């Protein structure tokens, strides 16, 4: 993996892209191009020439350093242009086959290291006509990655990692294969400074950057080929999963991220696809299996058609059990196809269609046991490293719901998991007007939806709902005792039960799957239940969200220069329109035990003979409508105008600056809550007579207009060929749209950074200091005193930190990569529903570690056989809550793996994660409130999964 500053890719990848834009075959007559390449350093001149010629240039970076190429202007053949370009330099043309030119030193001799130069016509392109594994291999051989050309996140096609002024990470195909991510969020761990809570399963994970509060996805936008997967950023991992069609991943933190992408003020993570091959048919298949039962097949095929047309198609199909033990199997597939036309005079048009239909498992909190010395361990029968509370007991519920929703009974099923369906249509176009002026445009439309069936143990009730089964059946101390089941009545739970079932002698539990009944008097059996004797309350969270998301980005790029100045200006616009329909009604609470594949229980009334005379619950459901009426529909229309300018003065000084103005119109229709809760359907079991918070069939509309500016400026100065300094400031914002809480204004984020880069053979490094200023951070949390209400929090968050990235390759067969962050985030001015909370001042924001460190050594096997690697990941202590009431300990995860090229076409890979089977905790229970506590030796949270392995075989056909 390579880290530097501004979205980058290996020089070989850039060249491959340039090749992909070239005419698909070598014509009989020499190809003639129009050139306008000023006299300049070879490193940038070869880039400019490759861009205008549409070819690939391979050259030794050590030879090009310090060399100057001559101006090339007018209509010339590519070969004549190359001859003129290097005529006065100490460079020579070794070969040129019409698509690839090889440049070497003027004097004869071995080429010490080959990288490639080129500037893409399409800044979102991936290597064309090049196997991504080959790209990765070449990149791995390059011991000086800071010479890599920057592509995404800048606009000039000329900046390298070394002379850029933003914080950038490149992750190539080999890095992704080495990481062997179990989820999309896992890939983000390859970006220094990004903290990932990857414990929810394949999707719906949380990630944060630069000391921002964890527990969400704000200020980070995920892109596919340079376009946001979703305009708002959050929830993008529902619609994108890494697969064989992805050639690499690029990331930029701060800087231009908030200017060139909406809702990416903190970071933009861009997944770059392979593009159609215009030269030859290429194909790959990959088969993957895991120790936890997942099976997956990926495939990719690309071929030329005719007359500059080419296509590709790829995707995956999977049968997954998930990393935690479950009785369910979740099936999914994604398929993506591209059709591309490249024009002889330069430019292209590309059409993309992507469709998916996927089911995913989802993991929420579980209870943990805490010893007097603070050691956290599993509750008996619930292994924190492998188990999941969900299971067969949650297969199907028919939840009473407000009739006005159109569903008086709403189905919930954990067997469905999270069901995601989507189709995305996309078009990209680029037209060169002159050699120095290009028009570009891209647009995409996503029609998607998800049906989320997730369980949340301990939500709302928290540890107050975690107690012995004996206590649950004792009306004097039961956690259910204070509930009021009847509309308009203050009668409590067991008062209503006594009135409903007057012959009750005692209460008992009835397993809804097996029918087994355990009486309150059978304390021995109750206390022995699952080896822990505990019951808990679990929320059935059923949410459907339909999204129609249109986005476009278009503009013009103008390159100009002369004598000692080189400038590139991009001016563009963006249009987004997003419509959503949300239904999170009928959120119910059930009573279940504490174990893997948990059992759900009815509380029943028993007569003196132990017979069941009635049920207090409905198929285990205690009550309904616990998270409010749950309905809203919103629409966001966003118009942006932006520019980005990159200026080079001489060879050493690089200045760039840009800004984006966004105007947003937000409309939200919020479901109204009835004054009286609707009654449950006739014949519904249980003592609750109403559906809880009730949608009354009408909506209240709120509208608002918001405008904001994102802007940035940076300077890089190359002190020597081996040392460069940079500094940058940026201000961006996160739009917040609408929801059941109304419309929300954008939230601003200000970032400052500066650093030094070292660039030498066998070693490169950067040291970056940064400051994050986040004022009026806005988020919602469940009010534990009334789970039907969402409380609003506002807070200021300031972070100072330092980031270190280094790669050392002392010998050709060994390298070690180190990335680490130390940050000191602090809360201030926290307000709940407008009321100041000074007791939180100076606390560490919840779910935000101060220390992150990853060390990855790699041994290259002889004869091109592959590599063996390890990884040590350290996560510092985090707090589960803003009140800093629960501290989750630091932990380390060791992983090992190997990638073996068994034949030139067959690669075998294995990755063992969490080799030492360590315990690690990423969060507490966010639905318990802002100050969490350990009660009776227990608390709720999420843990990382234990030791597991992934195996894959990739065959290039």
């Amino acid at each position: 993996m390579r880290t530097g500053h501004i979205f980058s890719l290996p020089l070989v990848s850039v060249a491959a892209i340039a090749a992909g834009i070239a005419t698909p075959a070598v014509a009989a007559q020499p190809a003639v191009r129009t050139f306008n390449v000023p006299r300049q350093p070879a490193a940038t001149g070869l880039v400019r020439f490759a861009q205008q010629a549409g070819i690939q240039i391979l050259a030794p970076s050590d030879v090009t350093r310090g060399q100057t190429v001559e101006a090339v202007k007018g209509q010339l053949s590519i070969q004549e242009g190359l001859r003129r370009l290097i005529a006065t330099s100490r460079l020579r043309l070794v070969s040129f086959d019409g698509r690839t030119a090889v440049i070497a030193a003027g004097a004869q001799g071995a080429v010490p290291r080959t990288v490639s130069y080129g500037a893409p016509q399409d800044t979102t392109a991936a290597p064309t006509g090049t196997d991504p594994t080959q790209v990765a291999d070449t990149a791995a051989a390059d011991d000086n990655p800071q010479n890599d050309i920057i592509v995404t996140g800048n606009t000039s096609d000329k900046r390298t990692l070394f002379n850029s002024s933003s914080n950038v990470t490149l992750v190539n195909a080999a890095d992704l294969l080495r990481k062997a991510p179990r989820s999309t969020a896992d890939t983000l761990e390859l970006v220094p400074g990004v903290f990932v809570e990857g414990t929810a399963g394949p999707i719906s994970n949380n990630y944060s950057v630069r000391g921002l509060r964890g527990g969400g996805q704000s200020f980070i936008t995920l892109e596919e080929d340079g376009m946001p997967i979703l305009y708002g950023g959050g929830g993008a991992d529902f619609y994108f999963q890494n697969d064989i069609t992805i050639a690499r991943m690029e990331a930029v933190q701060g800087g231009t991220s908030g200017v060139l992408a909406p809702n990416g003020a903190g970071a933009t993570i861009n997944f770059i696809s392979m593009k159609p091959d215009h030269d030859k048919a290429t194909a790959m298949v990959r088969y993957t299996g895991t120790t936890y039962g997942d099976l997956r097949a990926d495939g990719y095929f690309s071929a030329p058609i005719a007359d500059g047309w080419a296509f590709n198609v790829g995707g995956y199909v999977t049968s997954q059990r998930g990393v935690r033990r479950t009785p369910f199997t979740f099936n999914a597939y994604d398929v993506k196809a591209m059709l591309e036309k490249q024009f002889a005079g330069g430019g292209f048009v590309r059409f993309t269609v992507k469709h998916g239909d996927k089911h995913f498992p989802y993991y929420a909190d579980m209870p943990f046991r805490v010893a007097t010395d603070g050691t956290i361990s599993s509750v008996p029968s619930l292994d924190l490293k492998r188990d999941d509370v969900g299971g067969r007991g949650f297969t199907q519920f028919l939840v009473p719901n407000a009739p006005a929703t159109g569903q008086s009974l709403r189905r919930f099923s954990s067997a469905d998991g999270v069901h995601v369906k989507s189709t995305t249509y996309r078009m990209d176009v680029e037209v060169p007007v002159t050699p120095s002026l290009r028009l570009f445009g891209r647009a995409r439309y996503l029609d998607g939806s998800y049906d989320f069936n997730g369980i949340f143990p301990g939500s709302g009730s928290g540890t107050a709902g975690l107690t012995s089964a004996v206590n649950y059946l004792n009306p004097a101390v039961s956690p259910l005792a204070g509930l009021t089941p009847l509309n308009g009545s203050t009668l409590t739970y067991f008062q209503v039960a006594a009135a409903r079932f007057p012959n009750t002698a005692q209460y008992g539990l009835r397993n809804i799957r097996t029918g087994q009944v355990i009486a309150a008097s059978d304390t021995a059996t109750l206390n022995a239940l699952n080896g822990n004797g505990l019951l808990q309350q679990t929320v059935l969270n059923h949410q459907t969200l339909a999204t129609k998301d249109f986005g476009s980005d278009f503009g013009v790029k103008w390159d100009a220069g002369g004598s000692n100045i080189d400038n590139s200006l991009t001016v563009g616009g963006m249009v987004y329109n997003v419509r959503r329909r949300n239904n999170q009604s009928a959120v119910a609470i059930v009573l279940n035990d504490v174990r893997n594949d948990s059992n759900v229980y009815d509380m029943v009334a028993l007569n003196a003979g132990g017979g069941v005379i009635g049920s207090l619950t409905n198929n285990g459901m205690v009550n309904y409508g616990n998270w409010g009426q749950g309905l809203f529909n919103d629409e966001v229309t966003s118009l942006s105008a932006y520019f980005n300018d990159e200026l080079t003065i001489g060879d050493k000084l690089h200045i760039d600056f840009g800004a984006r103005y966004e105007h947003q119109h937000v409309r939200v229709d919020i479901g109204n809550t009835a004054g009286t809760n609707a009654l449950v359907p006739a014949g519904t079991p249980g003592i609750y007579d109403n559906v809880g918070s009730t949608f009354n069939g009408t909506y209240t509309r709120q509208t608002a207009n918001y405008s904001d500016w994102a802007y940035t400026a940076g300077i890089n100065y190359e002190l020597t060929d081996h040392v460069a300094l940079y500094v940058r400031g940026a201000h961006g914002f996160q739009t917040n749209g609408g929801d059941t809480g109304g419309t929300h204004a954008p939230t601003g984020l200000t970032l400052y950074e500066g650093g030094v880069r070292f660039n030498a053979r066998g070693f490169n490094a950067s040291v970056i200091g940064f400051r994050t200023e986040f004022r009026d951070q806005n988020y919602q949390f469940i009010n534990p005193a009334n789970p039907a209400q969402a409380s609003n929090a506002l807070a200021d968050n300031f972070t100072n930190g330092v980031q270190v990235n280094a790669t050392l390759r002392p010998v050709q067969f060994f390298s070690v990569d180190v990335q680490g962050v130390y940050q000191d985030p602090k809360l201030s001015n926290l307000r709940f529903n407008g009321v100041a909370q000074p007791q939180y001042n100076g606390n560490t924001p919840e779910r935000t570690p101060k220390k992150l460190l990853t060390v990855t050594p790699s041994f290259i096997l002889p004869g091109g056989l592959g590599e063996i690697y390890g990884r040590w990941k350290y996560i510092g202590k985090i707090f589960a809550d803003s009140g800093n009431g629960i501290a989750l300990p630091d932990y380390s995860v060791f992983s090992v793996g190997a990638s073996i090229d068994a034949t030139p076409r067959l690669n075998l890979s294995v990755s063992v994660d969490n080799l030492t089977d360590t315990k690690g905790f990423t969060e507490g229970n966010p639905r318990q409130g802002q100050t969490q506590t350990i009660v009776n030796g227990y608390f709720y949270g999420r843990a990382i999964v234990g030791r597991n392995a992934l195996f894959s075989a990739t065959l290039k056909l």
Side-chain angles (χ1 to χ4, degrees):
M1 185 183 65
R2 301 171 177 188
T3 55
H5 301 268
I6 284 228
F7 266 59
S8 64
L9 78 164
L11 296 175
V12 65
S13 302
V14 181
I17 295 170
I21 296 170
T23 307
V26 181
Q29 294 295 113
V32 175
R33 298 284 186 269
T34 299
F35 294 101
N36 183 14
V37 181
R39 186 176 186 274
Q40 59 192 287
T44 55
L46 291 173
V47 171
R48 181 72 67 87
F49 187 90
Q51 170 194 323
Q52 296 178 14
I55 65 169
Q56 171 174 266
I57 300 178
L58 300 175
S61 62
D62 291 342
V63 171
T64 59
R65 184 180 296 116
Q67 295 298 306
T68 300
V69 294
E70 291 300 316
V72 179
K73 297 186 178 182
Q75 289 192 332
L76 301 166
S77 70
I78 296 175
Q79 194 159 1
E80 175 62 18
L82 274 169
R83 188 190 65 77
R84 295 187 185 187
L85 186 74
I86 63 176
T88 62
S89 69
R90 294 185 178 180
L91 303 175
R92 65 186 177 93
L93 179 63
V94 176
S95 66
F96 176 55
D97 63 3
R99 286 189 58 83
T100 302
V102 178
I103 303 288
Q108 299 293 328
V111 176
R113 177 169 51 86
T114 298
V115 294
S116 65
Y117 291 83
Q121 301 292 326
D122 173 15
T123 59
T124 67
T128 305
T130 304
D131 189 305
T133 308
Q134 294 174 333
V135 173
D137 292 343
T138 306
D142 181 7
D143 61 0
N144 204 351
Q146 295 207 38
N147 284 335
D148 291 354
I149 292 291
I150 297 160
V151 176
T152 313
N154 86 332
T155 50
S156 70
D157 303 334
K158 304 169 189 175
R159 293 290 181 86
T160 66
L161 293 173
F162 183 63
N163 63 30
S164 66
S165 57
S166 286
N167 188 8
V168 171
T169 301
L170 162 71
V171 177
N172 59 35
D175 296 322
L176 289 170
L177 192 65
R178 189 181 301 119
K179 174 63 175 173
R182 274 59 167 176
S183 68
T184 298
D186 276 355
T187 63
L188 307 190
E189 290 187 336
L190 294 169
V191 182
V194 173
F195 173 55
V196 176
E197 302 172 33
T199 47
I203 63 169
S204 197
N205 289 292
N206 301 315
Y207 35 85
S208 57
V209 66
R210 289 272 169 100
L212 296 177
R213 170 184 175 270
Q217 300 175 351
S218 296
F219 293 104
I220 299 178
T221 189
L222 300 188
E223 293 187 338
E224 188 169 7
D225 296 322
M227 286 287 289
I229 296 163
L230 290 176
Y231 162 76
D237 61 341
F238 282 74
Y239 297 104
F240 174 85
Q241 284 73 46
N242 182 62
D243 62 24
I244 199 171
T245 69
I246 300 301
R248 65 189 183 276
M249 182 185 83
E250 303 171 349
V252 60
Q253 298 178 45
T256 56
S257 178
V259 172
L260 300 180
N263 297 310
T268 297
I269 315 294
N270 191 13
F271 294 88
I272 309 296
S273 304
M274 292 188 289
K275 301 303 185 293
D277 192 318
H278 288 257
D279 291 332
K280 62 184 183 303
T282 58
M284 286 189 294
V285 292
R286 177 176 297 153
Y287 301 99
T288 304
T290 68
T291 54
Y292 43 85
D294 283 10
L295 297 173
R296 172 166 160 160
D298 289 56
Y300 175 82
F301 179 75
S302 180
I305 302 175
D307 192 25
W309 289 94
F311 79 97
N312 69 13
V313 61
Y316 73 91
V317 59
T318 183
S319 172
Q320 53 190 337
R321 304 297 297 271
V323 294
R324 294 187 173 273
R325 295 194 296 173
T326 177
F328 306 128
T329 298
F330 303 92
N331 298 322
Y333 73 86
D334 244 338
V335 62
K336 177 170 62 181
M338 294 182 181
L339 177 65
E340 183 179 78
K341 166 67 175 177
Q342 294 180 351
F343 302 106
F348 67 90
V349 61
R350 182 189 310 122
F351 305 95
T352 305
V353 177
K354 182 177 182 179
H355 178 73
D357 191 334
K358 297 160 284 191
H359 288 264
F360 300 104
Y362 177 79
Y363 313 117
D365 300 351
M366 64 172 64
F368 303 130
R369 187 165 57 178
V370 184
T372 55
D373 64 357
T375 301
I376 303 173
S377 61
S378 301
V379 176
S381 298
L382 187 64
D383 186 341
L384 63 84
K385 299 175 187 175
R386 319 224 177 273
D387 289 346
D388 179 35
V389 171
R392 291 167 294 176
F394 295 88
T395 299
Q396 177 157 301
F397 297 90
L398 296 177
V399 185
N401 194 16
T405 64
Q407 297 176 301
S408 293
L409 294 173
R410 195 171 192 222
R411 181 177 178 270
F412 176 95
S413 175
S414 280
D416 291 341
V418 184
H419 185 195
V420 181
K421 295 189 293 184
S422 65
T423 302
T424 301
Y425 307 92
R426 175 166 173 164
M427 178 179 178
D428 295 73
V429 62
E430 183 168 299
V431 179
V433 179
T434 70
S436 60
L437 189 68
R438 284 182 280 164
L439 303 178
F440 65 89
R442 47 185 179 254
R444 63 107 181 97
Y445 174 74
L446 179 145
D447 185 356
S449 65
Y450 66 73
D451 189 336
F452 184 102
N453 294 263
I455 66 168
F456 291 80
S459 291
S461 62
T463 47
L466 180 67
T467 189
S468 69
V470 172
N471 284 346
Y472 261 97
L473 296 176
N474 182 350
V477 297
S478 175
L480 306 181
L483 300 177
T484 53
L486 305 180
N487 256 343
S489 172
T490 60
L491 292 176
T492 59
Y493 197 77
F494 289 101
Q495 289 173 339
V496 174
R500 182 76 60 86
F501 310 114
N503 296 323
T504 300
Q506 62 177 327
Y507 297 101
L509 299 175
R510 180 175 59 196
N511 188 310
I512 66 169
R513 283 197 310 113
T514 67
Q516 178 194 18
V517 175
I518 309 172
S521 58
D522 189 358
T523 56
T525 300
L526 292 172
N527 287 329
L529 195 65
N530 302 316
N532 56 56
L534 297 171
L535 291 182
Q536 61 184 337
Q537 296 176 43
T538 293
V539 168
L540 308 179
N541 178 21
H542 187 186
Q543 180 187 18
T544 58
L545 182 67
T547 300
K548 298 182 184 299
D549 190 322
F550 169 82
S552 62
D553 182 1
F554 48 88
V556 58
K557 179 191 289 186
W558 177 48
D559 295 327
S563 65
N564 214 29
I565 293 179
D566 197 3
N567 191 74
S568 179
L569 173 66
T570 297
V571 179
M574 302 176 189
V575 176
Y576 286 87
N577 177 264
V578 184
R579 290 168 290 154
R580 301 185 302 167
R581 298 180 62 87
N582 181 82
N583 183 350
Q584 200 172 7
S585 61
V587 173
I589 288 179
V590 300
L591 197 61
N592 61 303
D593 57 16
V594 178
R595 52 161 284 178
N596 184 66
D597 192 13
S598 175
N599 295 296
V600 177
Y601 294 89
D602 269 324
M603 183 174 288
V604 292
L606 305 177
N607 60 24
V612 175
I613 58 176
S615 178
L616 285 67
T617 54
N618 170 15
N619 197 33
M621 292 181 285
V622 176
N623 51 18
Y624 326 103
N626 288 280
W627 285 4
Q629 57 82 25
L631 277 76
F632 74 84
N633 306 318
D634 75 335
E635 180 176 10
V636 174
T637 300
S638 167
L639 306 175
S640 289
Y642 69 92
F643 80 92
N644 192 59
D645 191 85
E646 298 183 16
L647 173 67
T648 298
I649 301 174
D651 295 333
K652 302 294 186 181
L653 181 61
H654 311 276
I655 303 171
D656 62 273
F657 51 94
R660 180 172 62 89
Y661 174 80
E662 180 173 356
H663 176 78
Q664 186 188 53
H665 176 74
V666 182
R667 183 266 301 165
V668 59
D669 297 326
I670 305 169
N672 292 317
T673 302
T676 302
N677 293 340
L679 298 178
V680 299
T684 299
I687 61 175
Y688 258 80
D689 70 348
N690 64 89
V691 302
S693 187
T694 300
F695 173 57
N696 72 0
T698 66
Y699 292 86
T700 295
R701 173 165 293 188
Q702 293 187 20
T703 61
N705 293 295
Y706 302 111
S707 298
D708 212 334
W709 282 92
Y711 45 86
T712 185
I715 299 174
N716 177 289
Y717 185 74
E718 299 178 54
L719 290 176
T720 71
D721 289 343
H722 303 290
V723 180
L725 304 176
Y726 89 95
V727 64
R728 175 176 287 277
H731 175 81
F733 56 90
Q734 173 79 34
T735 62
N736 296 304
D739 53 30
T740 54
T743 61
H744 305 287
T747 307
L749 180 69
T750 302
L751 300 167
Y752 302 98
E753 61 183 284
V756 56
R757 297 193 191 90
F758 305 94
N759 177 18
R761 176 180 293 275
F763 175 75
N764 70 86
S766 61
V767 180
I768 303 164
F770 62 86
R771 176 173 173 80
T772 303
E773 297 182 357
F774 186 11
R775 302 178 189 274
D776 293 330
Q777 179 183 20
N778 188 338
Y779 60 95
Q780 291 187 327
F781 62 93
I782 298 297
N783 183 353
N786 185 357
Q789 293 182 353
S791 295
N792 188 69
L794 281 174
D796 297 337
N797 183 356
F798 301 96
T799 302
N800 294 318
V802 61
Q803 175 183 317
V804 177
N805 312 309
T807 299
L808 175 65
R809 186 187 294 274
V811 292
Q812 281 297 106
F813 60 84
F814 174 75
S815 68
V816 60
D817 181 85
V818 179
Q819 61 183 54
V821 170
Y822 176 80
Q823 57 195 12
D824 187 20
K826 292 186 182 299
L827 276 175
S828 65
N829 196 25
L830 185 61
R831 291 141 284 165
F832 294 160
N833 296 323
V835 179
Q837 307 290 325
Q839 69 272 23
Y840 292 90
N841 287 344
N843 283 6
T844 300
E846 63 185 276
R847 297 152 75 171
T848 305
K850 290 186 176 182
K851 301 174 185 177
L852 296 167
L853 179 63
T854 301
V855 179
T856 306
S858 177
F859 295 88
I860 308 301
L861 299 176
L865 186 59
E867 69 169 337
I868 299 172
Y869 59 87
R871 182 184 300 110
W872 172 58
K873 178 179 71 174
Y874 172 79
I875 305 294
K877 179 181 72 174
I878 66 174
F879 289 99
D881 58 323
S882 295
N884 292 181
I886 295 180
L888 304 179
D890 59 349
Y891 62 94
S892 295
V893 175
F894 293 89
S895 303
V896 296
S899 177
I900 306 298
D901 293 321
T903 73
R905 293 183 177 273
L906 177 63
N907 174 271
L908 303 175
S909 296
V910 59
S911 166
V912 181
D913 192 38
N914 198 357
L915 181 66
T916 58
D917 207 30
T918 193
K919 294 182 293 186
F921 305 93
T922 63
E923 64 177 81
N925 181 2
R927 286 154 290 277
Q928 190 182 336
Q930 294 295 285
T931 301
Q932 300 175 29
T933 57
I934 297 171
V935 178
N936 297 325
Y938 299 102
F939 80 98
Y940 280 88
R942 277 180 175 159
I944 64 171
V945 71
R947 181 170 46 246
N948 64 94
L950 181 148
F951 313 88
S952 69
T954 303
L955 180 64
K956 293 173 268 184
L957 304 174

